[in-house]
Amino acid sequence: MTTIEPLGHHELFLVIVQLTLLLFVARTLGELFSSIGQPAVVGELLAGVLLGPSVLGAVAPGLYGTLFGVSESQFHLLEIVAWIGLIMLLIVTGLETDIDLIRSKGRTATTLSIGGIVVPFATGFALGWFLPVEFIAAPDQRLVFSLFIATAMSISAIPVIAKVLIELDVIRRDIGQLILAAGMVDDTLGWILLATVAGLARSGGVDVNSAVTTVISVIVFLGLAFTVGQRLVREIIRWVDNVVGGETSMLTALMVLALAGGMITQYLGLEAILGAFVVGILVSQVKRFDYHLRHTFEMMTLGIFAPIFFAIAGLRMNVASLFDPTVFAVGLVVLGVACFGKFAGIMGVSRLAGLSRWEGITIGGGMNARGAMEIIVATIGLGLGILTTDMYSIIVAVAIVTSLMAPAIMRWSIPKIEMSEEERRRLEQEDQRRRSFMGGINKVLLPTRCDLDSQFAAQLVGALSRGQEIEATSMYIDRSEQGDRGILAPLRTMLGDGIPRTIRGDGGTISEDDAGDERVDATENDSTLSDDSKRCRDLMELQLNLPGSQTRSIVRSERTNATETVLREANEGYDMLVLGASEHGAHADDPLFSATIDEIIHDAPCPVMVASTDRETDEEGTLLQDEVPIRRILLPTVGTEYNHHAAEVAFAIALDRNAAVDIVHVVNPLQTGDVFANRPNRDSALRLGEEIVDGEADLGRQMGAEVRTNVFVGENEPEEELVALASEEGYDLIVLGSNLRPLSGRAFFGHRAEYIVKHADCPVAVLASA
């Protein structure tokens, strides 16, 4: 076997110097253009022109020759980095693409794309047919040359468009998503045309088979990607998050998936960037790949790799060749035809698509940017012997000039587009979801002893997770090292041998022989689990009542004590810890719940929700027979951040159970002697209370929950009033928000929260999130 020689010292040194200069100049010019109100991509494209033969090559030819006038193999090292930047930029574009919105606007996007392809193709073909023969590398193949020019005129540059939309902060607006949707269709058709024309150039005739194969490949790839691929990507991201965990592994998974997608589309002759773009879209639909991860990847891309890519794109251009009068004149004609074709095509169909004039101008300006895509087309044409060097420079110049025009046009026209009320609501809801507490919940850990409270906690977790991309993990603690293989040993200690051998639930009966073996964590083989473990696992899955894709059952061995076992698992990237507990301390200094629960709450690395119910085991020993009915939820609030978080939890439960939420604010009772002096203060307190409950109610109504509000002055302390109200009105659940406060070494939820937990005669859920 021949040993591959490593990259030489000088070659490595040179590529490092090249990348250093390209990144430094690109970012410097990018920041300069940003400071004067222009998108950074303009400066990044000009960085390559500045360092290329156009400027550096003319001013200091010796230095340019040393740095960039290198062999093809040396320049290919830069191209690899550029392609990585291009792929990452397409991933970012996919992550920012709202596929649901695109589907809803699919007809409009397709109409725009057809207009943006047909007219430029026709005008480009006419241009190629009448250009002087000296611009054709093979004069006897004018038909192929004309088709190639037509394809170059038809293409748009999604990377440039996306970067401009991101920098203008309009990528999430309807107009931004519409441009991306039309651009995606446009470029897909463009790739099909390019493959067809390339086949013509190679064969010297019309290659129908190649064109048909390309079309079928696109259809099959997109069809599989948005069906099988969508499920596969979701499962891979879920597996990586569960088994490996951490931001680094998630970003690695994204990049591996994108490269794999690019590998497939490149093999099919469809260009790697199509696969990367589609993978970005698929990952964007996975809730676990949250806003923070997307932002991290976006910053890495836009701060490092995209500037290098755009600078290298500009580096290929030689402005000096355009100074020849004939080349310059032809270049102006090509630029004019390119701009006219795109704008005429888009504006011609924008009315048919139901768009305003300013929307048509904006979309035309955006899709007029050719950028890297036309540079790729030009490079392929040069390599296939279709284009002369002068024609290549003209097409690259058109790509750069149209990319420079796009930001200016869009910056001028977008402010003139009125935002509809529907779009405004959508953006507000997206912003709310991005900042919401529940929006950041992807993984919930539910340590269980299979007692009443744990099962009730599982019911609440099921209500929170149903219809959402939230995975609920039930964790059982194996005490086999202490001589008891069954994980229900703690229950036997508390309840004697009253643990049921048969568990009844709404979904039927689970007997000892029915214990399933699905969704057991890989750390344990189901055959090694005790019968009690299996019954408990199946009971919790019954109470969660979630699809298999949203549940996971794990067994963890207890090496020291239950507290450390739970906390060790909670530190594995869970977003919320849910506990079932009902033991109430007898004295004020005692933990509200058991010592173990108290320690877990005190040291938990994530928000904790504790569910407590006073229901008792029935005579047959069934721990919990039916689902706890929840029709009315009491939500006390004083307007704090943790009250907002609790409100989101209450609304999510209400939506699942079709329950109503009563938001209540109790004004402190007046003190003796203050009745007259402080009367205005009471009125102010009532007005403030109304503002507080109205704010929470607005959020609930946005989520679609049935909400009522109540503000009143209590005769007793607020916590006493709330307990009395819950009893009088027959509430089924009280949801409390709290922040943990240190008190004598135990977890302290606050006097009011603890009073309600101890004295309420209905189930209570306490969320400690701040």
Side-chain angles (χ1 to χ4, degrees), residues 237-435:
I237 294 294
R238 177 191 178 198
W239 181 86
V240 170
D241 193 24
N242 286 337
V243 177
V244 185
E247 291 185 4
T248 303
S249 62
M250 294 288 275
L251 294 174
T252 301
L254 171 64
M255 199 65 194
V256 169
L257 287 169
L259 290 172
M263 174 184 66
I264 294 171
T265 51
Q266 186 72 24
Y267 176 78
L268 295 174
L270 304 175
E271 300 297 336
I273 51 180
L274 175 62
F277 179 62
V278 171
V279 167
I281 293 175
L282 297 180
V283 173
S284 73
Q285 296 177 286
V286 181
K287 185 182 177 184
R288 290 201 188 193
F289 205 89
D290 57 20
Y291 172 77
H292 178 71
L293 284 171
R294 298 180 193 186
H295 183 71
T296 300
F297 188 84
E298 183 179 307
M299 291 301 99
M300 181 172 61
T301 300
L302 300 184
I304 300 175
F305 289 95
I308 292 175
F309 163 72
F310 285 114
I312 292 174
L315 193 65
R316 292 179 175 276
M317 182 181 176
N318 186 359
V319 178
S321 65
L322 299 176
F323 292 156
D324 179 89
T326 302
V327 176
F328 184 75
V330 170
L332 287 179
V333 172
V334 173
L335 176 63
V337 170
C339 294
F340 170 80
K342 273 294 180 187
F343 273 99
I346 296 297
M347 293 298 293
V349 299
S350 61
R351 289 291 183 182
L352 296 176
L355 302 175
S356 68
R357 179 166 62 95
W358 288 113
E359 287 174 321
I361 292 173
T362 301
I363 296 171
M367 294 182 65
N368 187 48
R370 269 62 173 204
M373 299 310 302
E374 192 161 72
I375 293 172
I376 292 171
V377 172
T379 303
I380 292 173
L382 188 65
L384 291 174
I386 300 175
L387 303 179
T388 63
T389 303
D390 288 342
M391 197 65 208
Y392 167 82
S393 295
I394 289 173
I395 293 179
V396 172
V398 169
I400 292 177
V401 171
T402 54
S403 297
L404 296 176
M405 291 169 59
I409 294 172
M410 294 168 71
R411 185 178 291 276
W412 168 64
S413 61
I414 284 177
K416 296 177 173 60
I417 300 174
E418 294 184 7
M419 186 181 297
S420 67
E421 188 60 33
E422 180 183 356
E423 180 182 8
R424 193 184 308 278
R425 282 198 304 270
R426 179 180 65 81
L427 292 174
E428 289 176 353
Q429 289 173 357
E430 288 181 359
D431 184 59
Q432 176 64 41
R433 283 197 298 269
R434 187 179 295 119
R435 293 184 290 107

Side-chain angles (χ1 to χ4, degrees), residues 113-124:
S113 181
I114 291 174
I117 281 279
V118 173
V119 177
F121 190 89
T123 55

Side-chain angles (χ1 to χ4, degrees), residues 70-83 316:
V70 294
S71 64
E72 288 186 1
S73 60
Q74 179 71 45
F75 196 83
H76 289 336
L77 297 176
L78 276 182
E79 283 187 319
I80 293 297
V81 180
W83 270 101
R316 292 179 175 276

Side-chain angles (χ1 to χ4, degrees), residues 449-455 488-500 536 539 582-583 615-624:
R449 301 174 304 172
C450 274
D451 60 348
L452 291 170
D453 296 295
S454 294
Q455 293 177 65
L488 302 186
L491 279 184
R492 297 199 186 283
T493 301
M494 292 185 296
L495 303 176
D497 257 348
I499 297 176
C536 186
L539 172 60
S582 61
E583 305 92 338
R615 295 187 63 176
E616 298 179 356
T617 303
D618 64 23
E619 294 179 357
E620 295 183 19
T622 304
L623 294 181
L624 187 60

Side-chain angles (χ1 to χ4, degrees), residues 110-193:
T110 303
T111 302
L112 290 169
S113 181
I114 291 174
I117 281 279
V118 173
V119 177
F121 190 89
T123 55
F125 183 87
L127 173 67
W129 195 257
F130 291 105
L131 275 176
V133 70
E134 57 264 29
F135 289 90
I136 305 175
D140 59 331
Q141 294 189 21
R142 182 177 283 274
L143 173 62
V144 174
F145 174 79
S146 300
L147 290 172
F148 197 88
I149 296 299
T151 301
M153 297 297 99
S154 303
I155 207 80
S156 293
I158 286 183
V160 174
I161 296 170
K163 197 164 192 296
V164 172
L165 291 173
I166 291 171
E167 292 180 352
L168 294 179
D169 195 27
V170 294
I171 195 166
R172 300 301 304 173
R173 284 197 57 182
D174 285 358
I175 188 68
Q177 293 292 296
L178 193 55
I179 292 173
L180 286 178
M184 179 182 175
V185 178
D186 199 20
D187 277 1
T188 301
L189 295 175
W191 291 325
I192 295 172
L193 291 172

